[in-house]
Amino acid sequence: MASESTECPPEIMNANDHLFILYTSGSTGSPKGLIHAQAGYLQHAMMAHKFVFDYCPGDIYACVADVGWITGHSFVVYGPLCNGATSILFESVPTYPDPGRYWEMVERLKVNQIYLAPTALRLLLKSGDTFVKKYDRSSLRTLGCVGEPLNHEAWEWYHDVVGDKRCDLVDTWWQTETGAICISPRPSAPNAEIRHGPMRPFFGINPQLLNEEKQEIQGNNVSGALCIKQPWPGLARTIYGNHKRFIATYLKDFPGYYSTGDGAHRDADGYYHITGRMDDVINVTGHRLGTAEVEDAMDEHEAVAETAVVGFPHDIKGEGVYAYVILKDGITDPEDKITSELNT
């Protein structure tokens, strides 16, 4: 081996050659092997990492997602490495050996940006503030979140406790199919206020809200199906071995648009708020209730760490609302009292 060359010339690839196949979780049907291509995906992941997280040369960046998911692909591997960033690989779970695992890592490695999921936040929130405050988090500059709508209580805990009310909090929306972040509070004007919920389109993304008649909903303070009007570089090219399914899943429901399957609200200022999956709705006596909206309301209770809401058949109302509730550690109030308060 000593006589072998240490040089390994890179393979020259075309822009639309396949880069990888990544299967979705199957939560909305059988898993789909989505194919992302070389140049467009890499450009989108690189740009999103740089501008959404305000990455600067020399920063220490930590996305704690598993690399087997698209978040890990785009924001542990491809995006950061395209920017020459130091990207931290996280293994195990955020509660081992204790719920301070993330924040110990931040102190030890002087992390500047961290990207995690609302599920992890609510899990850590359950354990209180002590495990956060025992570690120095002064190196943090940007707090990122992805995976599902971030409820108000978790947003405030992340911003106020973890970020000491001084870090940008970028709650992001995107999908395995989109390749990288499509809607986010950043990039924006320097020193612009970041509030809970509102997001704006990323470069090259043209989101539109459509009604049941498949027409664009004009103006602000409106809600509808979230679609994207024009192609963008990071969009998956096809489903492996089944292009007909790709068209039927993403392009057929709203011809001329990419259908995300999510609902959204465009507020009075023109910012977007993700309301959850369009098919994740409970119909109670004709009233369509989004499960994420009910969960967010219940999570406001001071004793509640996390809520999961599902529908169940009801002889009179058509569907009823059933909630699974996890309480914070150390709660001593009787369950009957908390249940009564949540029901009202």
Side-chain angles (χ1 to χ4, degrees):
M1 293 299 296
S3 63
E4 294 297 321
S5 172
T6 58
E7 301 297 320
C8 181
E11 186 70 24
I12 302 301
M13 306 295 289
N14 290 321
N16 283 313
D17 285 345
H18 296 172
L19 178 61
F20 62 80
I21 302 174
L22 187 63
Y23 280 81
T24 61
S25 63
S27 58
T28 58
S30 60
K32 300 178 286 290
L34 290 155
I35 293 178
H36 279 287
Q38 298 278 336
Y41 167 84
L42 292 172
Q43 181 198 46
H44 190 175
M46 176 184 70
M47 296 285 284
H49 172 258
K50 177 176 176 60
F51 289 104
V52 172
F53 298 103
D54 186 30
Y55 168 75
C56 297
D59 282 350
I60 305 296
Y61 167 85
C63 173
V64 293
D66 191 306
V67 293
W69 301 107
I70 189 64
T71 303
H73 272 56
S74 298
F75 293 107
V76 174
V77 183
Y78 290 106
L81 296 188
C82 281
N83 286 315
T86 296
S87 181
I88 294 172
L89 296 172
F90 183 88
E91 195 174 23
S92 189
V93 295
T95 53
Y96 180 83
D98 60 48
R101 175 82 187 278
Y102 282 165
W103 324 124
E104 183 277 332
M105 175 188 71
V106 168
E107 178 184 270
R108 175 167 45 87
L109 301 178
K110 301 295 185 285
V111 174
N112 304 115
Q113 298 95 0
I114 190 168
Y115 198 28
L116 44 77
T119 304
L121 276 178
R122 291 192 290 269
L123 178 65
L124 298 174
L125 183 155
K126 178 177 179 288
S127 301
D129 302 351
T130 304
F131 286 104
V132 180
K133 294 183 175 180
K134 68 184 291 187
Y135 297 105
D136 178 11
R137 304 170 318 285
S138 60
S139 61
L140 283 173
R141 194 169 73 246
T142 306
L143 308 176
C145 198
V146 65
E148 60 191 275
L150 180 60
N151 62 292
H152 197 272
E153 184 187 16
W155 191 98
E156 289 188 337
W157 187 80
Y158 197 18
H159 178 266
D160 296 353
V161 178
V162 176
D164 290 327
K165 299 184 178 181
R166 58 175 183 77
C167 297
D168 281 350
L169 201 166
V170 289
D171 185 16
T172 63
W173 176 88
W174 58 295
Q175 301 173 318
T176 304
E177 296 86 343
T178 72
I181 294 164
C182 290
I183 309 179
S184 166
R186 288 281 189 251
S188 62
N191 303 316
E193 178 189 6
I194 292 184
R195 298 165 289 157
H196 172 252
M199 295 188 282
R200 55 174 59 81
F202 188 62
F203 304 141
I205 304 298
N206 184 357
Q208 296 291 334
L209 301 183
L210 273 68
N211 58 25
E212 293 181 355
E213 287 71 42
K214 307 183 189 301
Q215 298 171 329
E216 290 184 14
I217 304 172
Q218 303 300 323
N220 292 333
N221 201 24
V222 294
S223 299
L226 178 62
C227 298
I228 302 178
K229 191 172 183 177
Q230 65 193 37
W232 64 98
L235 176 62
R237 295 305 191 257
T238 188
I239 293 173
Y240 179 69
N242 197 343
H243 192 63
K244 289 183 178 179
R245 187 182 179 193
F246 181 84
I247 294 172
T249 303
Y250 306 110
L251 307 177
K252 188 176 180 180
D253 288 347
F254 297 93
Y257 300 82
Y258 168 83
S259 175
T260 70
D262 284 341
H265 175 76
R266 189 163 58 231
D267 67 20
D269 298 319
Y271 294 96
Y272 288 87
H273 304 246
I274 308 302
T275 55
R277 298 294 300 174
M278 294 291 289
D279 54 6
D280 202 5
V281 172
I282 304 171
N283 194 325
V284 181
T285 60
H287 298 284
R288 291 171 61 81
L289 303 176
T291 57
E293 298 172 85
V294 180
E295 291 165 354
D296 195 19
M298 298 183 77
D299 287 342
E300 290 296 314
H301 193 288
E302 60 183 11
V304 174
E306 187 167 8
T307 310
V309 169
V310 297
F312 68 93
H314 193 283
D315 292 339
I316 299 173
K317 298 179 179 180
E319 278 189 287
V321 178
Y322 197 97
Y324 297 86
V325 178
I326 298 175
L327 301 180
K328 295 176 182 176
D329 294 343
I331 297 299
T332 57
D333 290 353
E335 286 190 14
D336 290 347
K337 177 177 180 292
I338 296 175
T339 300
S340 176
E341 292 171 350
L342 291 173
N343 281 329
T344 56

